[in-house]
Amino acid sequence: MDTARPKRSARFYAVCIGVGLLAGLMSGLFGVGGGTVIVPLLVLALGFDQRFAAGTSLAAIVPTASVGVITYAVDGHVAWIPALILAVGAVGGAQIGTWLLPKLSQTALRWSFVAFLVIVIVSLYFVIPSRDAELELTWITGPGLLVLGVITGILAGLLGVGGGIIVVPALLLLFGTSDLIARGTSLLMMIPTAISGTVGNLRRSNVDLVAAACVGIAACTTTALGASLAKLVDPFVGNVLFSVFLVFIATQMAVKAVRGRHQR
């Protein structure tokens, strides 16, 4: 069997739907794209290779993030212009990241990112976001958002991580934004970024559109639930849950770093 394109079967569709349901819940709850859930599960459960799984995940994020944005926007928890600024920076940064990819040590980058996540995880227990805090554009925050977008794009290009695990904590800790606005804005930023990446992946035949459609459609059914749960959860509890999610991501990244070192 081709590991990049698994055989279509009942199990294939069942796994895609299950992955989508879980990814959608995580996306709505934490304001992330869900790729950190989709990619490893497609690799482990269906035998996708890493790049093919990443390309498929990116395509699935488009409908998932769209539903999440609508859910957050209904209650005014999306900062539209800041999200656009972030997206512009992220699209440009992704090009830089892919250019740097062959020039830098992946192992060193992964350990650096793990260290970054550890700092964020600890900080989340000391900074409790206010639900009333807005993300206002000023001469300082505007350029700051653009820089954040570029950094997000670079890391996405280098490590294949989604923007949410960078943007959400940055908006919380550096910009003092409400946790709900941070999540809604993060999801909106992902849509043009994911579309841009998917177009490139389609040109390189690096996406399984059937799997992406199954995952994406399934995710749409639980994204709104995740977003609704996020609104009900106390901000501190939300921080705790998000920190647990980041521990999962950091562990994944550390395992990849260790494996990468052993394979050298």
Side-chain angles (χ1 to χ4, degrees), residues 35-193:
T36 48
V37 175
I38 297 171
V39 173
L41 289 181
L42 289 181
V43 171
L44 294 173
L46 292 179
F48 277 53
D49 65 46
Q50 189 74 23
R51 291 185 179 181
F52 202 61
T56 301
S57 170
L58 199 61
I61 285 171
V62 177
T64 307
S66 299
V67 172
V69 167
I70 293 171
T71 307
Y72 277 100
V74 167
D75 293 324
H77 294 140
V78 176
W80 299 91
I81 296 178
L84 177 61
I85 295 173
L86 285 166
V88 169
V91 170
Q95 303 305 313
I96 299 173
T98 53
W99 177 74
L100 288 173
L101 185 58
K103 306 176 186 296
L104 300 176
S105 165
Q106 282 289 290
T107 300
L109 285 169
R110 284 169 179 156
W111 281 121
S112 298
F113 192 66
V114 169
F116 162 75
L117 289 179
V118 169
I119 294 172
V120 170
I121 290 165
V122 173
S123 300
L124 286 173
Y125 287 88
F126 293 95
V127 179
I128 309 303
S130 167
R131 286 278 159 92
D132 298 323
E134 300 286 342
L135 179 52
E136 297 182 359
L137 276 179
T138 67
W139 291 106
I140 297 176
T141 59
L145 289 167
L146 185 62
V147 171
L148 175 59
V150 171
I151 293 172
T152 299
I154 291 174
L155 289 175
L158 287 173
L159 300 172
V161 297
I165 60 173
I166 302 166
V167 170
V168 172
L171 291 180
L172 289 174
L173 302 175
L174 300 180
F175 292 84
T177 308
S178 154
D179 58 332
L180 297 180
I181 291 179
R183 291 165 187 165
T185 302
S186 169
L187 287 170
L188 179 57
M189 176 212 72
M190 290 178 200
I191 297 173
T193 308

Side-chain angles (χ1 to χ4, degrees), residues 231-248:
K231 298 171 188 176
L232 297 175
V233 171
D234 177 81
F236 177 73
V237 175
N239 273 14
V240 172
L241 292 175
F242 189 50
S243 70
V244 171
F245 179 71
L246 292 181
V247 167
F248 169 73

